[in-house]
Amino acid sequence: MSQPSTTDANPTASVLVIGNEILSGRTQDANINFLAQRLGALGITLREVRVIPDDHDFIVATITDLRARYDHLFTTGGIGPTHDDITSECVAQAMGVPWEIHPETFALLEAYFTRERFNAARQRMAMLPRGAVPIRNPVSLAPGYSIGNVHVMAGVPAIMRAMFDELAPGLRGGRPVVSCSWYAFDLFEGGLAAGFAAIARDYPALDLGSYPFHRPDGRHGVALVAKGLDRSALAGASDAIRALIVALGATPQEGEPPA
């Protein structure tokens, strides 16, 4: 179970994952967890994640919606050279600006590929919404970009992470999210639910969650996690969680349960 916090003073964000390959199960997304952790460390609260197909109207409508709801929108996927890489033209439409050649990016990619290999497909990667600011890509050179509060990055995890590292220093953040975790073997959610709910009521500014685990060797238990912006409240909740586990006759262990 999870109890959402009632206060959120940090900037907010959403992540939009674009790609038929994610929805079909052909490719497993590896970017959401990375972004959630990095944004939390920067003091940017991730509030929503959506995964949508390579559908022009769907992408435009979703970008329009999410960029109005949150301080930051991060997109991954759909900025390569193939016919289904349509994120950039959709971003341009959502922002109400032309999708056009970005001269500096065009020159950068032309020099990298050489004129003979810089074909029409690769030139698509040099087309950005007017007014976009490129995000440097130290892995494969073709950049992502920011326009307004929308940050557009590649779907390939190594490239997306490199782009985010370039972007992160310029992002406006807040207080970093802090967390604690306790676990115990031979605990069940049904037995701890009432006590854990009481702790959640005592610390409404924190997110509290319980997560059962089952190991391959047959051992099982529950991990209890608290996270938020208030270090003092977190310390109190941590003590209360530990005490609850002891009261239930189990041995509390700090951290995440072993795999």
Side-chain angles (χ1 to χ4, degrees), residues 101-112 118 123 125-127:
I101 290 292
H102 186 266
E104 291 81 4
T105 299
F106 188 94
L108 182 73
L109 294 178
E110 184 180 43
Y112 176 76
F118 192 41
Q123 289 174 23
M125 296 188 293
M127 296 184 68

Side-chain angles (χ1 to χ4, degrees), residues 88-118:
S88 288
E89 55 193 285
C90 294
V91 171
Q93 183 172 331
M95 303 296 289
V97 298
W99 181 52
E100 60 190 12
I101 290 292
H102 186 266
E104 291 81 4
T105 299
F106 188 94
L108 182 73
L109 294 178
E110 184 180 43
Y112 176 76
F113 287 111
T114 71
R115 185 168 298 179
E116 293 74 19
R117 296 171 55 233
F118 192 41

Side-chain angles (χ1 to χ4, degrees), residues 4-13 43-48 70-71 174-175 177 204-207 228-229:
S5 63
T6 57
T7 60
D8 189 357
N10 279 0
T12 59
I44 298 173
T45 303
L46 179 59
R47 300 293 290 168
E48 183 174 356
Y70 303 105
D71 297 306
R175 289 181 292 167
V177 176
L206 301 177
D207 294 329
L229 307 177

Side-chain angles (χ1 to χ4, degrees), residues 104-152:
E104 291 81 4
T105 299
F106 188 94
L108 182 73
L109 294 178
E110 184 180 43
Y112 176 76
F113 287 111
T114 71
R115 185 168 298 179
E116 293 74 19
R117 296 171 55 233
F118 192 41
N119 57 27
R122 287 171 172 146
Q123 289 174 23
R124 284 173 54 86
M125 296 188 293
M127 296 184 68
L128 307 182
R130 181 178 295 176
V133 178
I135 302 171
R136 194 174 78 90
N137 171 8
V139 176
S140 62
L141 203 65
Y145 57 87
S146 295
I147 179 167
N149 66 336
V150 181
H151 313 288
V152 178

